[in-house]
Amino acid sequence: MSSIDVFFQKLYESAVSSHVKDKIEIRSKLKTMLGCFDDQTLVEKTPTLMETKEFSSFHRERWLFHFTADLSAPVYVLTPKNDRNEHPAVLALHGHGYGSREIVGLTDTGEEDNTAIGIHQHFAVQLVKRGMKVFAPEVIGFGDRRLTEDIENENASSCYRMAYHLLMAGKTLAGLRVFEARRVLDTIDTFSDVCKTRLGVMGFSGGGLIAAHTAALDERIRATVLCGFTNTYKQSILTRNHCIDNYVPGAIEVAELPDYIGLIAPRPLFIESGSRDSTFPVKGTESALLRLTEIYENEHAGNQLDSHIFDGVHEVSGKYSYDWMSKKLQK
């Protein structure tokens, strides 16, 4: 280990030594570190329906949701065909890739994807087939919501350029994405066929980061599924080249990643991860699960934490998580 390695190891250890123990304080500091977006002018504008398509067991719509005077996002809304007047609803958050189309069964050009389903496993479709109404927003920085230059140059995302601008303004890309996710929840509340007391969130990879922090800060979320994300800073985020959206200034001075995820307790939480995931290594996932088990047991909610380490890489499994979400939201 070089002297530089030692320096950064000591930096981490020094930060860890100052960790906050109080849950309320961790939540408050997380909100501050993500960056305040209360200065944005919110708009209460009715969402606009852009397209619709029928399938045998559900119908898929694409709406435009309005967040602020400057920010709007296309959101796929998948509704099961059944005899219910109200449905449990799930906010489905994609990870890095070509955007929300990747989880609703479409190719990057908007055609029906009848071939390989990729690492996202079209998980929004899997959820709606289990009776849940699914809202899949285009996360800012991906797909149709990249900066104009990145779209023109066919860059995969606008994560870095957006993050640099936000950091210079004392905000973070993670914070903006969480802010928008909570605005999606506000709009979900306006759909008359949604049971507002049965809301869940499922996110994969970068979408897992958004899902974890959104559920930590917003108690409207009743059940959470995190795929290919749960780990520790020490064993994943600080050991390899991740997207800049994972880096929140000051985060390790307050808590380790499992403690932030643990803010979801005592509400139901399901963790799934591939045993051969090289982005979020399984040893880090196992370390995080040990800490999360401790947190849930301390809140007398050990039976509300479930997990599945499956034989796979950085991908969604869904073998147990889809049915788990359905069960938790049907109660």
Side-chain angles (χ1 to χ4, degrees):
M1 182 180 291
S2 71
S3 59
I4 297 175
D5 294 322
V6 171
F7 171 82
F8 280 99
Q9 176 65 27
K10 288 182 177 179
L11 188 69
Y12 173 82
E13 292 172 354
S14 175
V16 168
S17 67
S18 63
H19 276 180
V20 173
K21 303 298 182 183
D22 181 71
K23 184 175 181 178
I24 296 175
E25 186 177 356
I26 293 174
R27 181 178 283 113
S28 175
K29 287 183 177 295
L30 172 62
K31 186 175 181 180
T32 299
M33 290 183 300
L34 287 172
C36 178
F37 290 89
D38 293 342
D39 57 342
Q40 299 298 305
T41 302
L42 305 184
V43 293
E44 302 302 330
K45 187 176 178 181
T46 302
T48 306
L49 181 61
M50 298 188 292
E51 62 183 56
T52 184
K53 183 165 183 177
E54 300 295 326
F55 297 88
S56 60
S57 61
F58 68 95
H59 63 263
R60 185 184 70 216
E61 301 167 324
R62 201 180 198 210
W63 293 76
L64 186 66
F65 283 19
H66 306 280
F67 303 144
T68 74
D70 302 307
L71 293 173
S72 298
V75 180
Y76 283 105
V77 181
L78 283 58
T79 307
K81 292 181 177 179
N82 53 37
D83 57 359
R84 295 183 180 179
N85 294 321
E86 283 191 333
H87 307 282
V90 179
L91 172 59
L93 298 164
H94 64 82
H96 287 70
Y98 57 83
S100 56
R101 292 182 178 92
E102 197 159 359
I103 66 174
V104 301
L106 295 169
T107 66
D108 58 343
T109 56
E111 300 168 345
E112 298 300 325
D113 188 358
N114 299 313
T115 55
I117 59 176
I119 61 175
H120 282 80
Q121 299 291 308
H122 295 172
F123 72 83
V125 176
Q126 298 303 320
L127 292 169
V128 74
K129 287 182 175 180
R130 287 163 171 79
M132 293 165 280
K133 190 177 181 82
V134 183
F135 294 79
E138 191 93 300
V139 173
I140 192 166
F142 298 103
D144 295 342
R145 301 192 70 210
R146 289 169 290 168
L147 295 168
T148 301
E149 183 178 329
D150 291 317
I151 293 176
E152 291 175 348
N153 293 326
E154 298 183 349
N155 295 324
S157 79
S158 293
C159 292
Y160 283 86
R161 294 182 63 209
M162 287 182 173
Y164 297 154
H165 280 268
L166 288 162
L167 288 169
M168 291 293 282
K171 306 177 189 294
T172 67
L173 184 54
L176 177 57
R177 288 172 173 171
V178 170
F179 166 76
E180 289 197 340
R182 298 184 73 180
R183 289 293 287 147
V184 173
L185 292 177
D186 293 340
T187 307
I188 288 175
D189 280 346
T190 69
F191 280 73
S192 61
D193 63 341
V194 167
C195 180
K196 297 171 179 57
T197 61
R198 294 188 290 165
L199 301 179
V201 64
M202 180 172 179
F204 167 61
S205 192
L209 180 150
I210 307 167
H213 291 338
T214 299
L217 297 176
D218 200 317
E219 294 194 351
R220 286 178 292 181
I221 298 295
R222 177 171 168 178
T224 303
V225 173
L226 303 180
C227 311
F229 170 71
T230 303
N231 219 274
T232 67
Y233 292 133
K234 185 178 182 180
Q235 292 166 288
S236 177
I237 306 302
L238 296 176
T239 63
R240 57 211 65 220
N241 293 325
H242 277 274
C243 177
I244 196 170
D245 62 356
N246 286 282
Y247 301 92
V248 176
I252 61 172
E253 289 188 302
V254 177
E256 248 288 2
L257 182 53
D259 292 284
Y260 290 114
I261 297 172
L263 295 173
I264 297 169
R267 288 167 290 152
L269 172 63
F270 191 100
I271 305 298
E272 70 168 33
S273 190
S275 61
R276 293 177 282 113
D277 189 333
S278 60
T279 307
F280 293 92
V282 67
K283 289 190 180 297
T285 301
E286 291 169 345
S287 296
L289 281 170
L290 286 174
R291 175 59 184 146
L292 285 166
T293 298
E294 181 182 7
I295 292 170
Y296 268 77
E297 288 180 348
N298 286 341
E299 297 208 23
H300 308 289
N303 63 340
Q304 297 302 323
L305 175 65
D306 292 281
S307 64
H308 178 215
I309 305 297
F310 60 92
D311 181 21
V313 292
H314 187 57
E315 60 187 331
V316 173
S317 166
K319 182 176 181 179
Y320 301 111
S321 59
Y322 302 140
D323 290 334
W324 178 93
M325 179 70 85
S326 177
K327 180 179 178 181
K328 292 298 181 182
L329 295 186
Q330 299 292 349
K331 288 183 178 179

